Amino acid sequence: MKITGIELRRIRMPLVAPFRTSFGTETERDILLLRVVTPDAEGWGECVAMSQPRYCSEYVDGAAEVLRRFLVPALPAHIDAHTVGRALHPFKGHRMAKAALETAVLDAQLRTDGQSLATFLGAGTDRVPCGVSVGIMNSIPQLLDTVTGYLDEGYVRIKLKIEPGWDLAPVRAVRERFGDDLLLQVDANAAYTLADAPHLARLDDFGLLLIEQPLAGDDMVQHARLATRLTTPVCLDESIESAEHAAAAITLGACSIINVKPGRIGGYLEARRIHDLARAHGVALWCGGMLETGIGRAANLALAALPGFTLPGDTSASRRYYATDITAPFELHEGHLEVPTGPGIGVDPVHDILDEVTVSTEWITV
Ligand SMILES: O=C(O)CCC(=O)N[C@@H](C(=O)O)c1ccccc1
């Protein structure tokens, strides 16, 4: 496939409500979109890097810079999605930037071939059950009202952000209010240390599906030690940046569940490799989220439809984060979202809306 050029587009998307995690509060997303242009089709990729390097070391200005200076110039004139990874391999890290570029190339390729991303990846279903991520709140009553609203919308699983000082009480309150049948999990975003093991073990009383990333991203061995101290399954997010990391975590017993975020691990091809590895070892997967617009959300739904994704993910409806999405909004139906069936990611930006939220565009001739 011949690439004519690539557009880097920065958009600013206000969130419908502040989203607080253990590493900060988001009120809007500064998002980098990539549009790969070929003679036969255009492809879209969404870079999930945040404005600041708080979730991981990448941040959106850095992603734009590494794409502009190193990654896009490294692409050969003729390419397909399988060769992007090889062309970018000499450059270390920057997985979110690489993922966005590979995804945009893959989207253009699949649109040209008339194949959906879901079919390309091996999806086994046309709709996926949806969980929702609930931020750290100012009070328990506010939290209970928020969870009530999401359950009324039909979400099948609740994920509560936790941190030291906001963990046992909110989990207890939600479990007591909504009962033992509620699918409930927590996400610490690396806010604890192994010294907190006795405290974290008290979460075992609440029948949680999992505890996500309790310790630091590079604490793989410590997670393995923590897992022996808890009955709640440990799920890793930030620690897993590749299939190799997943293999190491499984071998060490650092996790029994993995949150797969294609941006974090370098793209959908690597996500498929993690899927196959996890299935071979009986490790459950679910698809995480990075507050994506409908562009990234569409691609994540294709991934979440793979057979190894056995737990509800964070692929929530567009309205969970955005009053107006840049694509036709993804809307929950009986707790599920439909997997796009069109070629490539199966959605296109609504150009009037996209133009309204666009801060800058930059064209790079390849
Ligand atoms: O549904 C979503 O898109 C967000 C899900 C979510 O909680 N993402 C968390 C996470 O750590 O997984 C996150 C929030 C903010 C920034 C990065 C990541």
Side-chain angles (χ1 to χ4, degrees), residues 194-224:
L194 194 55
D196 296 312
H199 177 76
L200 293 172
R202 295 177 62 191
L203 288 167
D204 289 343
D205 295 342
F206 302 110
L208 299 177
L209 284 172
L210 57 93
I211 177 171
E212 184 182 352
Q213 200 67 45
L215 312 179
D218 50 8
D219 277 352
M220 195 82 87
V221 171
Q222 290 88 334
H223 275 105

Side-chain angles (χ1 to χ4, degrees), residues 81-106:
H82 291 285
T83 50
V84 170
R86 197 175 309 139
L88 303 183
H89 186 70
F91 306 102
K92 303 295 183 257
H94 297 286
R95 288 180 172 87
M96 293 176 172
K98 291 176 178 177
L101 183 52
E102 182 184 90
T103 303
V105 171
L106 179 58

Side-chain angles (χ1 to χ4, degrees), residues 19 50 133 159 161 187 189 237 261 289-291 314 321:
F19 185 50
M50 310 299 289
S133 181
K159 165 168 130 175
K161 292 291 186 179
D187 183 1
N189 286 115
D237 172 356
K261 292 177 180 177
M290 293 289 288
L291 316 179
D314 283 343
Y321 296 103

Side-chain angles (χ1 to χ4, degrees), residues 1-70:
M1 185 171 71
K2 169 77 178 82
I3 296 180
T4 309
I6 296 176
E7 176 188 83
L8 304 186
R9 179 180 291 256
R10 293 287 283 272
I11 65 173
R12 195 169 297 282
M13 299 274 287
L15 298 181
V16 293
F19 185 50
R20 183 176 157 197
T21 69
S22 64
F23 56 81
T25 299
E26 301 292 323
T27 57
E28 67 176 18
R29 288 282 280 111
D30 172 2
I31 295 171
L32 171 64
L33 296 175
L34 270 62
R35 179 169 63 94
V36 162
V37 177
T38 78
D40 302 313
E42 296 186 351
W44 289 91
E46 179 169 347
C47 181
V48 298
M50 310 299 289
S51 302
Q52 300 180 28
R54 291 172 174 265
Y55 166 77
C56 68
S57 60
E58 291 192 77
Y59 62 104
V60 65
D61 286 338
E65 175 72 352
V66 77
L67 281 156
R68 178 183 309 117
R69 283 185 59 190
F70 305 108

